[in-house]
Amino acid sequence: MRNVGGVLLFIASFMLLSAGISCVNGFDSAFYPLLLSGLLTVLLGAFPLIFVERRAQITIKEGFCIVVGAWLVACVVGTFPYLIWGGEFNLLNAWFESVSGFTTTGATILNNIEELPRGLQFWRMSSAWIGGMGVVMFALVILPTLGRNRMTLSNVELSSLAKDNFHYRTQIIVRILLVVYVGLTVITTLLLKLAGMNWFESLCHAMSACATCGFSTKNASIAYYDSAAIEAILGCAMALAGVHFGLIYATVIGKRENMFRSEVSRWYFGVLLGGGFLIAVSIYAADIYPSFLTSFRYALFQFVSLVTTTGFATADTNLWTPFAVILLIFGSLVCACAGSTSGGIKVNRLVLAGKMMRLRMRQQQHPNAVLRVRLDGVVQENEFLHSVTVFIVAYLMLILLGTTLGTLFGVDLTTGFTGAVACIGNVGPGFGEVGSMDNFAAVPGAFRFTSTLLMLLGRLEIFGLIQLFFIKWWR
């Protein structure tokens, strides 16, 4: 409770900062909702810090409770500004918007985003930016009292895949993540301002892009600007935010193990370019756009947006060819790299799954041979490969469950399936009623609620959330 309280204080600081944005904007209608929400969250965070005794060391079990509890409580307090402000936000809609923000899904129930006051728009972006790096990872930076508990919490928060490219102590890992994340956000903000956005929209879209969330201040998303320069800047920001942050850091400081030498990142960039090119060929052949260059511009941006789980839109992908739609769904399933701000299965697991299938075929051809799976020249342990297989199976089963529930609640098969894929992958837009130019406002409330559960499962890599409910079985 003490550690979750510290996370709440951190979240409250962003609520109060958003209230400051409202103040600068002439005390708009979001000022008092944000101020009250911030003060209430401060009280909720301060009580356990005052009344709960500090523990010298926490266990792995307690670490899981802290991490999962912090995510769930963050989503709950994130509803406060929406509920107090009102408008389109009832209890379910406020919960959906809060979970979508913190999990960096980027789906929304808002039909008119532009009517939101600036303070509330900034809070939406803040929740996404906090969730991009992770509410607990931010807490590890700002809570000096954690001491040796940093290692326990970071080991729970970071997946085993994400740790591969970090060869530092826990405190250094957290600082690297923060420096890369903040640095990428600042650079993107400056470039967007140079490309024609005002300072507020530049900051909001930079926060959203680097968190791979996809929240926008415009109803038409990035299509509103109709600017190739803005699309190029955001496309690069999204693509980089989908790379392992440790590899970005290594590339900047000139280390040998950088993102250009990593097998996973080479596959990742290859998938982005190859998928964008194939979609461009498909939609150009269907005469959807007048030239191949225009087709490639829209195709690459949309594919990068979905693969990185950002969800920005420049076109209505419901109108594209079935081949293009299939590739976009494939991108929404695989997504970007571990150690980034994106969700999904991850390119790492796809590469390992391909290597395991190839190994299986070679093993059948040479039954007595001793063969091992290697990634970047490192032999992968069988236990780790087993966990990769289990994760992929569990991920696909949850998509099937989400699709089944969606059709049960009255949505069509396309909406149910792609909505489940988009939510568990933290992608945002799907197809059908939840397409790139639509939202989740029109779908049944039960489907919206189950979608939020899929968002949380995807953001906490499935087993992180599930284990909380079986904590008494631990020995």
Side-chain angles (χ1 to χ4, degrees), residues 438-462:
D438 299 297
N439 56 46
F440 280 72
V443 299
F447 183 61
R448 266 175 280 158
F449 180 73
T450 57
S451 295
T452 62
L453 299 181
L454 288 176
M455 293 177 199
L456 287 166
L457 283 165
R459 189 64 182 85
L460 292 167
E461 301 247 317
I462 300 176

Side-chain angles (χ1 to χ4, degrees), residues 272-273 276-277 279-280 295-305:
L272 290 183
L273 293 174
F277 177 79
I279 293 173
S295 300
F296 186 69
R297 168 188 165 184
Y298 287 105
L300 184 61
F301 185 89
Q302 287 302 135
F303 193 64
V304 170
S305 180

Side-chain angles (χ1 to χ4, degrees), residues 192 197 201 204-206 208-209 214-235 238 297-298 301-302 305 310-315 436-437:
L192 288 174
M197 286 187 179
E201 292 179 356
C204 286
H205 286 94
S208 185
F215 276 160
S216 176
T217 58
K218 302 298 181 183
N219 294 327
S221 190
I222 307 305
Y224 171 88
Y225 299 98
D226 192 23
S227 167
I230 289 175
E231 291 167 24
I233 293 166
L234 289 174
M238 291 186 293
R297 168 188 165 184
Y298 287 105
F301 185 89
Q302 287 302 135
S305 180
T310 309
F312 282 141
T314 56
S436 58
M437 289 298 174

Side-chain angles (χ1 to χ4, degrees), residues 396-415:
L396 296 177
M397 287 178 65
L398 284 171
I399 290 175
L400 176 60
L401 177 62
T403 304
T404 304
L405 290 175
T407 55
L408 177 66
F409 297 142
V411 301
D412 61 88
L413 183 58
T414 300
T415 302

